Amino acid sequence: MPASTQGPSSRPRAPALLRRLAALLYEAIVLFGALWAVAMIYGLAVGQRSGVMDRHGLQLAACLALGLYFIGFWTRAGQTVAMRAWHIRVIDAQGRPPRFWRAGLRFLLGWLWVLPPLAIAWWAGLDHAAGLVLLAVWIVLWAFACLLREDRQFWHDAWSGTRLVDTEP
């Protein structure tokens, strides 16, 4: 195996942080289109005339679509569309794609990337601009928190028993 993917204990190392963040940005672009389609289908199905009409149902449909997307891809191949493009795979402790419950836990813990600052912004009554700044700062801090770990894994991966590995040829 290439030396760049091997650590001292011969376990595959986490991909570089910048590459993981680039994959996250790519994933956001893919999901923008997917969620747009979900919103369009939902709106047509319920006769939605505005974005605030039945917004809770739309939010639930969007969360379910996200869960199906991530959990489905992670349990089958260990890679989403963006992870495949950036040569990153999620595995469990045995080196296989995570099973349904572990992938589900990873999905739920992945919300730690966005929910804490959004909850703080809502609680503090911040306007949209301040909320976006808070969100951006949190994402940067949460991403760099992986550097506190010896294996460089994100915290939600460590807590869910998964790890991101480099699959570059």
Side-chain angles (χ1 to χ4, degrees), residues 130-160:
L132 286 175
V133 169
L134 181 63
L135 178 64
V137 168
W138 174 261
I139 288 173
V140 169
L141 291 174
W142 187 253
F144 279 95
C146 76
L147 300 177
L148 299 173
R149 295 184 49 84
E150 187 178 337
D151 62 1
R152 301 297 193 239
Q153 293 294 322
F154 289 131
W155 286 96
H156 68 281
D157 279 307
W159 293 333
S160 65

Side-chain angles (χ1 to χ4, degrees), residues 6 13 118 129:
Q6 297 301 309
R13 287 193 323 205
L118 294 179

Side-chain angles (χ1 to χ4, degrees), residues 46-98:
V46 301
Q48 196 174 26
R49 293 193 174 111
S50 77
V52 295
M53 181 182 161
D54 195 25
R55 72 176 187 266
H56 298 299
L58 177 58
Q59 290 167 345
L60 179 61
C63 284
L64 289 173
L66 287 173
L68 287 172
Y69 172 83
F70 283 113
I71 295 169
F73 274 107
W74 291 336
T75 56
R76 284 191 179 84
Q79 293 177 300
T80 61
V81 173
M83 292 169 81
R84 186 168 304 164
W86 285 93
H87 304 287
I88 298 170
R89 174 171 276 126
V90 62
I91 59 172
D92 63 13
Q94 289 75 36
R96 298 182 310 238

Side-chain angles (χ1 to χ4, degrees), residues 100-136:
F100 178 81
W101 296 110
R102 189 165 305 281
L105 179 60
R106 184 178 195 267
F107 174 73
L108 291 175
L109 290 173
W111 284 100
L112 290 172
W113 281 88
V114 294
L115 286 184
L118 294 179
I120 291 169
W122 174 79
W123 177 77
L126 300 178
D127 63 7
H128 290 298
L132 286 175
V133 169
L134 181 63
L135 178 64

